[in-house]
């Protein structure tokens, strides 16, 4: 079978690295995909180059590269394809099919629903809890308007049919509204119980910041019941979605959303991104000669080619 390399961004959180490794092992243990490795493009070990090198060393020349990202922002559109292009230079003859970002997807929405329900545990009946509960869905935030719009879409999909009083999107970095701004909006809308739901796969610095900012807001408003749900984390639903994206990359008709991609379409305030060349991150454990971790421009060429 075609080997799978699961590509993570990387985090300085040891817990986040462990959760990523646990997911890779969960996918591997199922035995549904013949050969599975995982690696990061920056910050964490193992680096992507080790994961690809391991698969190539076992005889693979065709891979599926799956970006373990929730939205199609710069990491998925530029950084990861650029890193894979570098691997193709290192391993002549290597080809790969590029998977879609994970979200939005019903499996993720159900996982979020379960995390919210767990945060509500210990109160009254589930239906009554939801009817009186507002949800602040907090994404990472991006300089890519398309990615931020996807978080707003997930917030709406999470609200539809589940009986919450309302779901409002927000961001922990790079975009507005901020966590305090969303919580203040919900307070003004009359919320008395709010569950802050991080739209994150694994633990990390930014989810920790969501917890801290939520606690600070709650301390300043003692009449509010503010709770923070867990991240999605290593779970069967996420492994199911990885398998679905793998199968789709091999045999499906992958159609990326290019209608509102800032790297292809002129959008107000983002004209400088159109056609910008892509560059990979330099990983501290990848011997590329020099190490720097600022974000480069994210181009769109690799989105179309992907292999």
């Amino acid at each position: 079978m075609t080997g799978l390399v699961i590509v993570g961004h990387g985090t300085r959180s040891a817990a986040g690295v462990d959760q990523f490794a646990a997911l890779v092992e969960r996918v591997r243990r199922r035995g549904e995909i013949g050969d599975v490795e995982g690696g990061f493009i920056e910050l964490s070990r193992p680096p992507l180059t080790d994961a690809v090198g391991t698969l190539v060393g076992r005889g693979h020349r065709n891979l599926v590269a799956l970006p373990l990202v929730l939205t199609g922002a710069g990491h998925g559109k530029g950084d990861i394809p650029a890193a894979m292009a570098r691997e193709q230079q290192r391993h002549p003859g290597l080809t790969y099919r590029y998977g879609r970002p994970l979200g939005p997807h019903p499996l993720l929405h159900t996982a979020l629903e379960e995390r919210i329900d767990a945060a509500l545990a210990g109160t009254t009946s589930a239906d009554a809890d939801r009817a009186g509960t507002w949800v602040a869905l907090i994404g990472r935030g991006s300089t890519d308007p398309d990615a931020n719009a996807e978080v707003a879409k997930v917030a709406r999909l999470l609200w539809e049919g589940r009986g919450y009083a309302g779901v409002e999107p927000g961001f922990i970095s790079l975009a507005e509204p901020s966590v305090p701004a969303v919580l203040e909006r919900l307070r003004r809308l009359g919320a008395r119980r709010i569950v802050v739901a991080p739209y994150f796969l694994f633990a990390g610095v930014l989810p920790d910041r969501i917890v801290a900012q939520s606690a600070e807001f709650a301390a300043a408003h003692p009449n509010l019941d503010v709770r923070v749900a867990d991240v999605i984390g290593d779970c069967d639903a996420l492994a199911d979605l990885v398998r679905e994206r793998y199968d789709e990359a091999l045999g499906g008709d992958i159609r990326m959303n290019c209608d509102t991609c800032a790297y292809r379409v002129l959008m107000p305030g983002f004209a400088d991104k159109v056609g910008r060349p892509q560059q990979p991150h330099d990983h501290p454990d990848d011997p590329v000669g020099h190490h720097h971790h600022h974000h480069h421009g994210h181009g769109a060429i690799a989105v179309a080619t992907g292999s």
Side-chain angles (χ1 to χ4, degrees):
M1 295 181 68
T2 302
L4 168 65
V5 58
I6 300 174
V7 190
H9 172 251
T11 175
R12 293 183 175 88
S13 165
V17 173
D18 289 346
Q19 289 171 347
F20 175 88
L23 176 71
V24 173
E25 180 57 30
R26 183 185 296 268
V27 174
R28 181 185 294 126
R29 191 170 59 244
R30 288 182 167 201
E32 299 168 332
I33 300 171
D35 211 350
V36 182
E37 294 292 334
F40 299 101
I41 59 171
E42 63 170 340
L43 300 177
S44 313
R45 295 180 178 179
L48 174 63
T49 192
D50 286 7
V52 172
T54 297
L55 289 168
V56 170
R58 291 202 285 258
H60 292 282
R61 291 298 178 270
N62 302 287
L63 301 176
V64 168
L66 181 64
L68 207 70
V69 296
L70 290 169
T71 64
H75 297 314
K77 291 178 180 178
D79 295 334
I80 295 174
M84 287 301 299
R86 187 161 62 194
E87 293 309 307
Q88 288 182 298
Q89 293 174 349
R90 290 170 169 165
H91 305 285
L94 175 68
T95 63
Y96 74 97
R97 296 171 184 263
Y98 194 50
R100 279 198 295 159
L102 299 179
H105 194 284
L107 285 168
L108 296 174
H109 307 157
T110 299
L112 285 167
E113 179 182 8
E114 291 171 353
R115 306 300 176 269
I116 294 166
D117 283 347
L120 288 172
T123 54
T124 55
S125 70
D127 289 342
D129 285 352
R130 290 190 181 191
T133 298
W134 294 76
V135 176
L137 181 73
I138 307 300
R140 182 184 188 277
S142 173
T143 56
D144 187 327
D146 190 35
N148 295 332
E150 289 286 1
V151 177
K153 180 176 182 177
V154 172
R156 186 69 209 190
L157 290 170
L158 189 62
W159 187 2
E160 293 281 354
R162 288 182 170 83
Y164 300 118
V167 182
E168 290 289 327
F171 306 94
I172 191 60
S173 68
L174 299 175
E176 292 292 336
S178 65
V179 173
V182 172
L183 294 176
E184 176 62 15
R185 171 176 171 78
L186 294 181
R187 186 189 71 81
R188 294 189 178 201
L189 286 171
R192 289 295 174 263
R193 181 170 59 243
I194 302 170
V195 174
V196 180
Y199 189 44
F200 279 78
L201 292 174
F202 304 125
V205 173
L206 294 180
D208 287 347
R209 193 178 300 168
I210 292 173
V211 173
Q213 291 184 9
S214 300
E216 183 178 356
F217 189 90
H221 301 85
N223 60 320
L224 287 182
D225 177 1
V226 179
R227 312 175 186 202
V228 183
D230 286 337
V231 296
I232 293 168
D234 165 44
C235 60
D236 283 333
L238 190 53
D240 288 342
L241 183 51
V242 167
R243 171 61 193 268
E244 185 172 323
R245 289 290 187 251
Y246 171 85
D247 290 343
E248 179 188 62
L250 283 180
D253 181 15
I254 298 179
R255 295 178 181 267
M256 304 295 284
N257 174 25
C258 295
D259 293 337
T260 53
C261 175
Y263 308 114
R264 293 183 179 276
V265 179
L266 181 63
M267 299 184 70
F270 298 92
D272 61 315
K273 289 194 172 186
V274 178
R276 184 186 294 176
Q278 60 180 351
Q279 297 290 336
H281 285 294
D282 288 342
H283 194 285
D285 298 293
D286 185 341
V288 291
H290 58 90
H291 309 308
H292 52 288
H293 296 287
H294 63 276
H295 290 273
H296 301 273
H298 309 303
I301 296 174
V303 180
T305 57
S307 61

